[in-house]
Amino acid sequence: MAFVAGQPVTAVVQCIEICKLCHGDNLILGFSIGGGIDQDPAQNPFSEDKTDKGIYVTRISEGGPAEVAGLQIGDKIMQVNGWDMTMVTHDQARKRLTKKNEDVVRLLVTRKSLQQALQQSLQ
Amino acid sequence: MHPVPVPPSLPNVRSGNIQVTKFILSGIDDFGTKRRLGNCRVEMESKDKVSDSDSGVILQSGSDSPQSVMKGRCCSVILRKQMLEETLEARLDELKKLCLRESELVGYLPKEYPLADGEEPPPVRRRIGASFQLDELTITPRDEDSELDHLERVFALQLQFVEAAKRLSQEGNLSRHIRKQRKHAYMQEQKKLNEIKNDINKRKAIASGPTDQVRNVVEELSASDDSSLEDDTRQHHSQCSSTEFLSTAHAAQRSNSPLPPLQSSRPTPPQTLEGLALVCYQGGDCKKSPIMDAAWTESNLDEPYEKIKRRSSLNSKTSSSTVTPPESVQSDLSALHHFEMRGMPYLNPNSASAPSTPEMRGRIHHQCTRSPTVTPSESALSDLSALRHFEMRGRPYLNSNSASAPSTPEMRGRIHYQDASNPTVTPSESALSDLSALRHFEMRGRPYLNPNSTSAPSTPEMRGRIHYQDASSPAVTPSESVQSDLSALQHFEMRGRPYLNPNSTSAPSTPEMRGRIHYQDASPAVTPSESGQSDRSALQHFEMRGRPYLNPNSASAPLTPEMRERIHYQDARIVRTPSLKEHPNRTLQRNVVSEELQSWHERTRQRNGRPHSLDRQGAFRGPRTQNRSREQYMRWPALPLQRPMPHWMRDHPQYQWYTTEEAKVASQF
């Protein structure tokens, strides 16, 4: 799912709307992310292309808002509320996802199975 | 008579000479083993031997050939044989080295490696970064080796050269000269590449239709580096798209043959050069991205973003301060960075505070305080930059019995300060802010404080301070401001082990402090005289090394002469005198010694009517009158302090002093 720098990226994405849960003082999302342009992409266990420096979902907490919304582990996050996540640092990604004034985050995520499903449906 | 084993097929380039040489030598060897050098005997030249050899040197043995001629020919032949043997050795060595180098590059040992009998092939060590992927189709020569094919092969190779040269030129830590060289080499390689590319394109233009791949490939390569080809970014885009297109559609075509292998070889480690330039955009990735690659971490989004940030920033600071309010005040604690307390601050159970540096003490106090009244003074301490990154090594050991038992010496002192809970102390704190005396204070060794001391600061300064706090006399306050100019305490160094005796209540460890404490204990009447103490030049550079040993029953003994007059022992104090036993090799300065003596004098003079068990107290019973104080005071500078150091060190210094004083006193009165 890697892309060519400078070229438009096309991917089959799914829009996932996560309603943050108010947990005490924090708004929790119920998943963890990994990756970023400042991270070593070779250690990403979820990416197909080991040079992909995108943000990937690494863990989903049981019953959390993310799981309820349909996020799956290994998903690559392309956008968050319209903000691009394909070329961000790890910290920037966290920032965009954990904004306190936002109750709902709309993610555009992609995964391999989506691409395959699309191909199968077209055939 | 076995023939010398000759390698079956030596590459033409390398071993043409060797092959020939081997043939020659095989014959000569047979010839030579049977003979002795210089001992050519025609008789030994049996026909069968000669005829067996396949060498070009055949001696026609004829019985009627003149021996001398034969001998001459023998010798020349043998000489030639020797020369050839040497040459062969040299060539074999070269071959070995080349084979090893090749094995490094290729990954296996080439079959041309000359192996002697029984010798096993050497292990192959592949050099990292030396692997270059070349398309097999391109580089393997076909039956019809057309010029275009040849050119393409050369082009592929040249591409690799360029990439290697580029990487070399980008290597860091190069001297200017080498960097220039490499850059130049890179330019050269690129020029060659361009020439080849032009050639190919010309031929292709002649031969077939438009093929932009090669051109774009090359330009893509160079565009990533050189500024001269900036306009090729367009072509780069088109090239990339055309690449993808071509890879799928024209896989079979020879001109596009470089593409498919590159597509598959994309996910390779950055070190390996990925074939031709079509993966050049990944070749760009081969360069380190400007953002340092960290380990791939996973972060939990359930934790708020700010906390993470704060944690990381907190980790970078020391965790010495746990109080938030003082934090803001300590904002510029720059000097506290890299503070190190060496040695082992070993604090006896009841020791109050054993800070290693004056600043630290002040700081910790600053941090420890919870009292709002301290705040104004803390602002004064704000530039105690020394407290940041305070490291306390060793073992601060605190006894359980200590009332206020902070873990750090500084804390103890400060806490004690807080325990005083005397609002009147606050204004004095501001005076303490200018603890210039505490600066550069180094306490090494083990400040050992005795358990029973109630207010038991381990450092002299602190003790003084604490004592000051214990005084709880408002009248003391103004005097404190005078103490601010503790220039005397500057550069105070106390090494060794300040040992405080158990029974001392307030146990100052240094003479100065003792004086201070005493000063504080004094009645308000002492106050005006205190201002005179401000100029403690005498205490400057006071160094107390060794073990300041404090007598249990001795009261606090100020050292300064000025103090002596005001000494008014109210409570039993622990008096600590520097003991030189610990560090026999240290030398005391004359002023130091004199101060010590003076303090002792003061101390003993103040012990009127106090039961002291110390033997040497008796020595002072005589002159223990107030009116003598001044005389003694004046007499002190005249005390001979030139006793040799070993003399000092051997015996207990107190006793020494006492003896001296006793003698002096006896003589005077």
Side-chain angles (χ1 to χ4, degrees):
Chain A
M1 285 187 286
F3 56 90
V4 176
Q7 292 293 298
V9 177
T10 53
V12 184
V13 294
Q14 177 185 357
C15 182
I16 293 181
E17 201 168 299
I18 301 179
C19 302
K20 296 187 190 175
L21 192 63
C22 198
H23 185 75
D25 198 25
N26 310 329
L27 288 173
I28 63 168
L29 289 151
F31 68 102
S32 302
I33 56 163
I37 54 177
D38 57 339
Q39 311 253 314
D40 181 13
Q43 301 176 30
N44 189 343
F46 302 105
S47 60
E48 278 183 30
D49 178 11
K50 291 305 174 186
T51 60
D52 184 6
K53 294 188 168 185
I55 307 293
Y56 282 79
V57 175
T58 57
R59 180 192 65 86
I60 302 218
S61 51
E62 291 282 329
E67 191 182 14
V68 165
L71 195 67
Q72 292 178 24
I73 191 171
D75 286 354
K76 176 179 173 183
I77 304 177
M78 308 298 277
Q79 278 184 17
V80 172
N81 286 345
W83 294 98
D84 172 60
M85 299 290 266
T86 57
M87 222 18 138
V88 290
T89 64
H90 191 85
D91 259 358
Q92 283 171 352
R94 288 195 77 241
K95 225 181 194 175
R96 301 227 178 108
L97 282 163
T98 54
K99 290 206 166 144
K100 281 202 159 176
N101 54 358
E102 291 175 356
D103 281 346
V104 173
V105 283
R106 287 183 183 81
L107 316 180
L108 286 183
V109 300
T110 183
R111 60 183 82 96
K112 189 121 185 284
S113 57
L114 285 177
Q115 180 84 24
Q116 291 166 353
L118 185 69
Q119 283 176 354
Q120 282 173 7
S121 66
L122 287 176
Q123 288 165 5
Chain B
M1 284 202 307
H2 54 280
V4 173
V6 176
S9 59
L10 293 164
N12 301 335
V13 175
R14 265 180 293 197
S15 54
N17 298 338
I18 301 173
Q19 203 156 5
V20 172
T21 313
K22 280 198 173 289
F23 274 112
I24 295 171
L25 277 179
S26 61
I28 293 175
D29 265 341
D30 282 334
F31 193 74
T33 49
K34 308 289 194 285
R35 314 187 127 261
R36 292 288 173 268
L37 275 173
N39 191 9
C40 314
R41 272 195 251 170
V42 178
E43 298 83 359
M44 294 185 72
E45 266 184 82
S46 54
K47 285 178 188 161
D48 51 345
K49 287 188 181 65
V50 171
S51 61
D52 277 348
S53 71
D54 52 350
S55 71
V57 180
I58 297 173
L59 283 175
Q60 301 292 337
S61 61
S63 52
D64 40 18
S65 305
Q67 277 200 16
S68 59
V69 174
M70 290 310 295
K71 260 193 202 171
R73 277 197 216 164
C74 266
C75 295
S76 66
V77 157
I78 286 167
L79 276 173
R80 213 174 121 212
K81 177 198 165 189
Q82 279 174 343
M83 273 172 46
L84 287 169
E85 268 176 345
E86 284 164 21
T87 319
L88 175 63
E89 283 297 317
R91 295 282 183 267
L92 279 176
D93 279 339
E94 251 187 80
L95 178 60
K96 267 192 187 173
K97 283 188 196 140
L98 281 168
C99 284
L100 282 174
R101 278 177 63 189
E102 189 182 329
S103 70
E104 269 184 39
L105 294 168
V106 178
Y108 61 88
L109 198 64
K111 54 187 190 281
E112 291 88 11
Y113 189 84
L115 283 171
D117 292 340
E119 183 190 335
E120 52 183 34
V124 167
R125 204 174 36 109
R126 190 82 184 271
R127 192 158 24 126
I128 308 239
S131 57
F132 296 83
Q133 287 189 13
L134 285 175
D135 179 36
E136 288 297 320
L137 287 171
T138 321
I139 60 172
T140 43
R142 311 255 174 122
D143 295 336
E144 35 196 72
D145 197 9
S146 76
E147 271 195 48
L148 200 56
D149 289 344
H150 172 75
L151 270 180
E152 278 187 344
R153 226 177 300 130
V154 172
F155 175 77
L157 268 175
Q158 189 61 28
L159 217 45
Q160 301 302 308
F161 292 155
V162 170
E163 185 62 25
K166 180 179 86 171
R167 284 211 256 154
L168 271 178
S169 65
Q170 285 170 352
E171 185 186 326
N173 296 331
L174 288 179
S175 73
R176 205 162 53 114
H177 173 66
I178 295 180
R179 215 181 316 135
K180 260 191 188 170
Q181 257 185 353
R182 291 198 179 171
K183 188 140 191 269
H184 186 67
Y186 174 57
M187 297 295 189
Q188 298 274 40
E189 300 293 334
Q190 259 197 331
K191 247 190 256 174
K192 281 190 222 162
L193 191 70
N194 288 339
E195 284 168 16
I196 299 172
K197 162 200 87 177
N198 289 333
D199 276 343
I200 290 178
N201 285 340
K202 269 186 234 156
R203 286 177 206 279
K204 282 197 174 157
I206 299 167
S208 61
T211 49
D212 295 332
Q213 305 93 352
V214 176
R215 186 187 313 135
N216 289 337
V217 157
V218 172
E219 279 161 353
E220 161 61 28
L221 232 200
S222 44
S224 63
D225 294 330
D226 294 353
S227 55
S228 56
L229 297 170
E230 276 148 354
D231 55 336
D232 289 328
T233 49
R234 279 183 298 105
Q235 297 187 20
H236 162 52
H237 290 308
S238 62
Q239 169 258 321
C240 283
S241 51
S242 63
T243 302
E244 315 258 87
F245 172 66
L246 287 166
S247 64
T248 51
H250 302 277
Q253 287 193 18
R254 201 177 55 221
S255 58
N256 299 324
S257 50
L259 302 176
L262 297 171
Q263 293 282 331
S264 58
S265 65
R266 193 177 309 165
T268 50
Q271 274 181 342
T272 310
L273 188 60
E274 295 157 7
L276 295 183
L278 286 170
V279 264
C280 55
Y281 47 82
Q282 291 193 356
D285 288 347
C286 290
K287 298 183 291 185
K288 284 292 177 196
S289 61
I291 301 171
M292 286 296 291
D293 280 351
W296 202 79
T297 56
E298 171 190 337
S299 58
N300 192 355
L301 294 173
D302 295 340
E303 287 164 35
Y305 180 72
E306 306 82 56
K307 251 192 200 171
I308 303 296
K309 277 296 215 185
R310 180 134 178 259
R311 197 191 305 141
S312 62
S313 64
L314 272 178
N315 287 338
S316 60
K317 298 180 193 165
T318 50
S319 50
S320 60
S321 168
T322 53
V323 184
T324 322
E327 276 293 315
S328 57
V329 179
Q330 293 176 3
S331 55
D332 56 340
L333 297 176
S334 54
L336 282 180
H337 286 271
H338 318 299
F339 167 75
E340 282 181 352
M341 184 160 103
R342 299 189 183 115
M344 280 175 289
Y346 170 74
L347 302 167
N348 206 314
N350 294 345
S351 69
S353 63
S356 58
T357 61
E359 287 108 335
M360 294 313 298
R361 253 172 284 123
R363 292 287 167 209
I364 301 285
H365 192 71
H366 184 69
Q367 292 168 2
C368 275
T369 191
R370 304 286 194 274
S371 158
T373 61
V374 192
T375 312
S377 60
E378 287 190 356
S379 58
L381 292 172
S382 63
D383 62 338
L384 291 177
S385 44
L387 273 185
R388 199 178 282 273
H389 300 296
F390 167 68
E391 282 179 2
M392 193 159 86
R393 296 184 185 153
R395 286 162 269 171
Y397 169 71
L398 299 169
N399 203 330
S400 49
N401 296 336
S402 59
S404 63
S407 54
T408 64
E410 286 85 344
M411 307 303 275
R412 241 173 289 122
R414 293 291 169 204
I415 287 180
H416 203 68
Y417 175 66
Q418 293 158 14
D419 286 345
S421 61
N422 186 351
T424 61
V425 184
T426 309
S428 61
E429 274 301 298
S430 58
L432 289 176
S433 63
D434 185 11
L435 294 175
S436 57
L438 291 177
R439 220 162 285 165
H440 311 298
F441 172 72
E442 282 180 352
M443 189 159 87
R444 301 197 178 126
R446 286 178 230 166
Y448 171 77
L449 298 170
N450 208 294
N452 296 337
S453 57
T454 52
S455 67
S458 55
T459 61
E461 284 86 344
M462 291 322 296
R463 245 173 283 123
R465 300 270 165 240
I466 289 179
H467 215 60
Y468 172 65
Q469 296 146 16
D470 284 344
S472 64
S473 161
V476 190
T477 310
S479 57
E480 273 302 305
S481 58
V482 177
Q483 285 188 7
S484 62
D485 185 14
L486 296 176
S487 56
L489 288 179
Q490 220 153 6
H491 311 297
F492 172 76
E493 280 183 356
M494 186 162 90
R495 297 188 183 133
R497 283 178 234 172
Y499 169 76
L500 297 173
N501 206 298
N503 299 333
S504 63
T505 50
S506 67
S509 54
T510 61
E512 288 96 344
M513 295 322 298
R514 252 173 278 133
R516 296 238 176 267
I517 289 177
H518 221 52
Y519 171 62
Q520 294 148 11
D521 285 342
S523 60
V526 185
T527 309
S529 56
E530 281 301 319
S531 55
Q533 290 184 13
S534 58
D535 187 13
R536 303 273 178 83
S537 52
L539 287 178
Q540 217 152 8
H541 308 294
F542 172 78
E543 282 184 352
M544 186 163 86
R545 297 191 177 116
R547 252 189 251 175
Y549 171 78
L550 295 173
N551 202 313
N553 300 329
S554 62
S556 58
L559 284 180
T560 57
E562 305 95 345
M563 303 276 275
R564 235 175 301 117
E565 301 159 37
R566 307 158 207 118
I567 296 305
H568 181 219
Y569 289 82
Q570 289 168 354
D571 305 319
R573 305 271 182 265
I574 288 183
V575 173
R576 285 171 63 182
T577 50
S579 165
L580 298 168
K581 282 185 178 173
E582 290 295 303
H583 302 270
N585 294 327
R586 303 198 193 219
T587 57
L588 281 185
Q589 296 172 7
R590 183 199 171 99
N591 53 350
V592 169
V593 175
S594 63
E595 280 152 14
E596 275 294 325
L597 286 170
Q598 287 159 11
S599 70
W600 274 110
H601 268 272
E602 297 236 19
R603 250 179 281 135
T604 52
R605 262 188 302 106
Q606 300 305 322
R607 286 183 207 133
N608 287 331
R610 236 187 272 184
H612 296 298
S613 60
L614 200 61
D615 298 337
R616 55 191 140 90
Q617 300 280 333
F620 286 78
R621 297 215 195 274
R624 203 174 296 159
T625 54
Q626 286 297 325
N627 49 3
R628 306 255 179 178
S629 62
R630 289 202 191 275
E631 289 159 82
Q632 283 186 356
Y633 170 50
M634 297 203 245
R635 185 173 48 78
W636 273 37
L639 278 175
L641 301 167
Q642 288 130 359
R643 60 189 74 194
M645 269 313 120
H647 192 56
W648 267 104
M649 316 298 178
R650 269 203 312 271
D651 309 328
H652 200 288
Q654 303 164 355
Y655 290 83
Q656 284 293 350
W657 296 337
Y658 276 110
T659 338
T660 316
E661 294 312 308
E662 191 178 0
K664 284 290 175 183
V665 166
S667 65
Q668 193 166 5
F669 301 97

